[in-house]
Amino acid sequence: MVTVIESLYLTCILIFCLYSDQTALYIRMLGDVRVRSQVGFEPERRGSHPYLGVDFRTLHSHAELVGSIPARRIRRLFSFQRHLLTSRLLRGTPHLSPLHFLDEDYCGQAKVAEQFLVLCSPLFSGNSLISLTLYLLTHYGLIELFQLDMVKVRRFLVLVQEDYHNHNPYHNSVHAADVTQAMHCYLKEPKLAKSLTSCDVLLGLLAAATHDLDHPGVNQPFLVKTNHYLAALYRNTSVLENHHWRSAVGLLRETELFSHLPTEDSLNMERQLGSLILATDISRQNEYLSKFRTHLDQEDLCLGNTSHRHFVLQMALKCADICNPCRPWELSKQWSEKVTEEFFHQGDIEKKHKLEVSPLCDSETNSIADVQIGFMTYVVEPLFAEWARFSDTRLSQTMLGHLCLNKASWNAMQPEEAEGEQAAATEEPSSRALPQGSQEC
Ligand SMILES: [Zn+2]
């Protein structure tokens, strides 16, 4: 009963904080249902039945997955105590390529986009997350500094990549690699770079690489309403983010990556990793954003202060996680299609099982343009406006410029879809070059 009251209280606060119904809609869609589902809690049943009655995995139309599902389920059961997977290291050893494409001079999003296209390339044989993270750990000198065992590092990254579900249209290891890439760019922003410690950088990169670990391809409301064991385990609060964090900790412990560090230090790393990953819970967007805004208004962010620096790292990771609308159109559009495909897939499952269709998940009543315009307006734009105020660089201004152009492009597609007119006016935005550092909004 206390849980219900607490949940309702949190929900009231959340609703009170929301500055419009539209925002609420996007927040709800993107993760937050803190009220107890009508089905109610059941005892955790992870041990006897790891997945919910509605097994959304089997509904993905990938024949090759059918045989692997039981194995995946069993592995999840032992996500905190897995010790017998060494053979995966042998079959998944990444090929470390010299990543010449990295945006060392972070000269703009266009270049970031090019890098991402390379990340997706067959060159990496699906190992972009492993290769990129390994490269960045080396690039920042973190392996030497923290005296990390290279075999353990590789094994950890192989397991991380494997624990992403690559049949998810959006929340897969390429998204994790993309976020890690973006995080690298933000860590190199001059204001941050000059203050960050090696530990901050290590945590920032690890958090980016693991921030969606074992994402099931559906959102929190889905897990709550289907009475998934994870929703019960984390009491309907930051369910996915808690699971991503705990899964990452499971892999850290399994691979003993930090076992040579004093226990207190490794526990502290785990806690900070959690704090970063939990910040990506989009339902807490307003909480983080208003705190950030207040700091910027009062000009009292002191990056020499550990907690302030950690807070900015949280904001950087939040930006990295949702920066796709700030990319050049061709790339941004692809990500938009992928994420909407995942939403609509969830909606299809909900329809199939006679569940209420979650907001923005109904392909019959929503379009990609609808979803994107709302997301950009109520979630991305406010965050990146503050980030640009903080970092005040050409990169952040360029990102805002792309955001503005992309939103205009989605808007231009709206009347075309609805009224079938003004087709001539809908110019493919790819032909519109955005000058670096421009801000057109
Ligand atoms: Zn993410």
Side-chain angles (χ1 to χ4, degrees), residues 306-365:
T306 308
S307 66
H308 282 200
R309 219 169 47 242
H310 185 76
F311 175 64
V312 175
L313 269 185
Q314 289 176 317
M315 297 309 295
L317 183 59
K318 286 175 70 58
C319 288
D321 194 21
I322 60 168
C323 69
N324 295 140
C326 303
R327 310 238 186 208
W329 170 252
E330 293 83 356
L331 189 61
S332 179
K333 183 166 173 278
Q334 285 181 50
W335 279 118
S336 301
E337 288 165 353
K338 288 292 173 192
V339 76
T340 317
E341 183 185 338
E342 198 167 294
F343 289 172
F344 289 169
H345 185 258
Q346 178 181 320
D348 291 344
I349 298 168
E350 289 166 337
K351 284 179 194 171
K352 182 171 178 176
H353 293 275
K354 311 257 183 286
L355 297 166
E356 185 188 349
V357 179
S358 299
L360 313 181
C361 287
D362 193 338
S363 57
E364 290 169 37
T365 56

Side-chain angles (χ1 to χ4, degrees), residues 170-171 175 179 211-212 321:
Y170 182 81
H171 288 105
H175 165 64
V179 172
H211 82 283
D212 275 331
D321 194 21

Side-chain angles (χ1 to χ4, degrees), residues 139-157:
H139 165 80
Y140 283 103
L142 298 168
I143 292 177
E144 261 188 31
L145 251 167
F146 288 89
Q147 298 185 313
L148 300 177
D149 181 325
M150 202 57 177
V151 173
K152 291 179 180 176
V153 173
R154 285 183 176 228
R155 181 160 178 251
F156 172 75
L157 294 175

Side-chain angles (χ1 to χ4, degrees), residues 266-431:
S266 59
L267 287 176
N268 190 37
M269 298 274 266
E270 289 176 6
R271 273 194 297 272
Q272 291 196 57
L273 187 69
S275 165
L276 290 173
I277 294 175
L278 287 171
T280 62
D281 181 349
I282 207 80
S283 70
R284 296 179 65 191
Q285 166 94 342
N286 288 331
E287 176 193 327
Y288 283 92
L289 193 55
S290 47
K291 186 175 170 186
F292 196 33
R293 202 172 274 142
T294 305
H295 276 307
L296 295 176
D297 288 345
Q298 296 176 353
E299 299 180 351
D300 64 354
L301 267 178
C302 170
L303 295 182
N305 176 315
T306 308
S307 66
H308 282 200
R309 219 169 47 242
H310 185 76
F311 175 64
V312 175
L313 269 185
Q314 289 176 317
M315 297 309 295
L317 183 59
K318 286 175 70 58
C319 288
D321 194 21
I322 60 168
C323 69
N324 295 140
C326 303
R327 310 238 186 208
W329 170 252
E330 293 83 356
L331 189 61
S332 179
K333 183 166 173 278
Q334 285 181 50
W335 279 118
S336 301
E337 288 165 353
K338 288 292 173 192
V339 76
T340 317
E341 183 185 338
E342 198 167 294
F343 289 172
F344 289 169
H345 185 258
Q346 178 181 320
D348 291 344
I349 298 168
E350 289 166 337
K351 284 179 194 171
K352 182 171 178 176
H353 293 275
K354 311 257 183 286
L355 297 166
E356 185 188 349
V357 179
S358 299
L360 313 181
C361 287
D362 193 338
S363 57
E364 290 169 37
T365 56
N366 293 111
S367 67
I368 301 178
D370 287 338
V371 174
Q372 287 305 308
I373 291 166
F375 180 56
M376 288 174 172
T377 306
Y378 301 106
V379 181
V380 183
E381 223 168 66
L383 179 62
F384 276 85
E386 298 307 325
W387 181 257
R389 203 148 72 96
F390 164 74
S391 62
D392 192 25
T393 57
R394 190 174 53 174
L395 173 62
S396 56
Q397 293 302 322
T398 302
M399 290 192 294
L400 279 178
H402 282 304
L403 179 66
C404 192
L405 281 180
N406 292 337
K407 196 171 151 188
S409 301
W410 287 120
N411 266 318
M413 289 167 116
Q414 284 282 64
E416 197 182 37
E417 284 173 9
E419 300 163 24
E421 58 184 30
Q422 295 181 331
T426 313
E427 182 192 350
E428 261 300 295
S430 59
S431 60

